[in-house]
Amino acid sequence: MIDINKVRKWSVRFNSPAEIKSLPYPEMIVEEVEKSGYCIPQCSPQNIPAEMGGQITLVLSGYGILRVGDKEYDCLPGTAFLYRHCDPEVSYRTAANSKWHFIWINFQGIASEHLISEINRYYGYFFYLGQNSMLEKTLLNYKHYSGSSFKLSAWEGAKFAIDLMGMLCGKSNDEPVCSSGFQLVNEAKAEIHKSFNEPLTGELLAKKIGVSREHLSKTFHKETGISLHDYISEQRLNEALSLLMKSNLNCKEIAAICNYGSYSQFFRTFKKVYGVSPDEFRKAK
């Protein structure tokens, strides 16, 4: 029997709401490493599991093989696949003499299964995104919350699920082309979201993106109407607020994750904006 604690590096769970079962909803994000011999076999049509839903698996390193019907796909870093849990066409395994390092998120319910089935029919099962894709960054960002759980509303869960599948399938051909300034701001926002728990300055952010601090600050303010510093502070506080409402992390853990340096700094900042302490806010909600 496989020891899950040895193959799973970390996991985060989402608590399903009771209302609106007809929407897709995430269940778990897990990063794991599997050795040669690991295999998820095809599901017999006569043995469909009672638990419906589906899963996105994104390869981080190593080598696996996805089989859909009689066709095989090489699952290398930067590739991903999407499938229904009860799909009898699908099986996958670690390649011989290799390790397979991947991250996956699964989705609950018949609504998730129907959505994934439609995507498989239109886009297929296998996707090449390239390394450091937005999907990879979004999923790996949850590593900071290892062992915790989140409570999303039915609508939040559905939006999250659909957004992830949108990242997987890519942009449609009829989307408008963005200006270079807009693209730069979007790249900066994505990096801020990825690195909100780090001591991120405008200079460090500009270096990560590959532009000058002056150009980034000027472009960001022009496109958004807010300074880069204020936006970073606002996002850090928004993330802390979200964790207070949706996670089981305590206030000191949230302060550390959101890089406030100390709980007292987090306390002062939060109370200045919301008029109550983080603990008082959580109790009220």
Side-chain angles (χ1 to χ4, degrees):
M1 182 177 293
I2 296 175
D3 185 345
I4 290 178
N5 293 324
K6 289 184 178 179
V7 298
R8 290 186 174 179
K9 298 172 72 68
W10 59 269
S11 65
V12 168
R13 183 175 291 276
F14 299 91
N15 298 322
S16 177
E19 75 276 15
I20 315 184
K21 294 295 186 181
S22 59
L23 294 175
Y25 196 85
E27 183 175 26
M28 287 187 75
I29 300 176
V30 176
E31 182 183 349
E32 65 182 76
V33 179
E34 295 288 354
K35 297 179 180 179
S36 179
Y38 168 77
C39 178
I40 299 296
Q42 290 178 318
C43 178
S44 169
Q46 288 77 37
N47 191 30
I48 294 177
E51 182 182 353
M52 312 293 265
Q55 180 172 314
I56 295 174
T57 300
L58 176 70
V59 182
L60 301 175
S61 64
Y63 181 18
I65 298 171
L66 168 70
R67 186 178 181 87
V68 182
D70 59 358
K71 189 170 184 179
E72 290 192 343
Y73 301 88
D74 292 332
C75 298
L76 299 170
T79 64
F81 56 93
L82 173 71
Y83 72 101
R84 295 175 293 129
H85 286 151
C86 59
D87 193 329
E89 294 289 302
V90 174
S91 66
Y92 51 94
R93 66 187 188 277
T94 304
N97 302 316
S98 179
K99 285 187 177 181
W100 197 16
H101 179 197
F102 51 86
I103 185 169
W104 56 265
I105 177 168
N106 65 335
F107 307 95
Q108 304 174 11
I110 193 67
S112 299
E113 183 184 353
H114 286 168
L115 177 58
I116 292 170
S117 180
E118 288 297 309
I119 292 174
N120 289 156
R121 187 176 297 114
Y122 189 81
Y123 291 96
Y125 291 76
F126 186 73
F127 304 84
Y128 180 76
L129 306 178
Q131 292 181 274
N132 299 314
S133 65
M134 182 58 69
L135 178 63
E136 179 180 330
K137 291 176 181 178
T138 301
L139 294 179
L140 284 177
N141 188 54
Y142 280 86
K143 184 175 183 178
H144 305 301
Y145 316 127
S146 175
S148 63
S149 60
F150 286 78
K151 184 177 181 180
L152 305 180
S153 71
W155 299 107
E156 289 172 326
K159 183 179 185 303
F160 183 47
I162 292 170
D163 284 347
L164 291 176
M165 293 183 201
M167 294 175 196
L168 188 70
C169 297
K171 297 181 178 180
S172 62
N173 293 328
D174 57 355
E175 285 191 55
V177 178
C178 299
S179 68
S180 59
F182 187 85
Q183 290 173 337
L184 178 60
V185 168
N186 275 352
E187 190 173 353
K189 286 181 176 179
E191 191 62 45
I192 290 168
H193 181 72
K194 173 188 172 186
S195 310
F196 73 88
N197 64 315
E198 301 174 9
L200 191 64
T201 63
E203 186 172 354
L204 181 58
L205 178 61
K207 186 176 181 180
K208 286 187 174 187
I209 297 175
V211 296
S212 70
R213 181 182 62 80
E214 293 77 12
H215 177 63
L216 176 59
S217 297
K218 183 178 179 180
T219 302
F220 195 94
H221 189 271
K222 179 182 177 181
E223 294 286 342
T224 66
I226 186 174
S227 73
L228 186 60
H229 177 270
D230 287 347
Y231 181 82
I232 292 173
S233 299
E234 182 181 278
Q235 293 307 300
R236 181 174 288 122
L237 188 59
N238 285 345
E239 183 65 25
L241 181 66
S242 178
L243 292 173
L244 279 170
M245 296 176 67
K246 299 171 184 175
S247 79
N248 60 350
L249 297 166
N250 64 47
C251 292
K252 288 185 178 180
E253 289 173 327
I254 292 172
I257 285 174
C258 295
N259 194 48
Y260 274 99
S262 66
Y263 174 70
S264 60
Q265 183 186 356
F266 174 43
F267 180 97
R268 290 193 302 270
T269 303
F270 193 94
K271 191 165 187 177
K272 181 179 179 181
V273 174
Y274 295 106
V276 294
S277 72
D279 286 295
E280 289 170 339
F281 177 86
R282 172 171 269 175
K283 289 176 182 178
K285 293 296 179 181

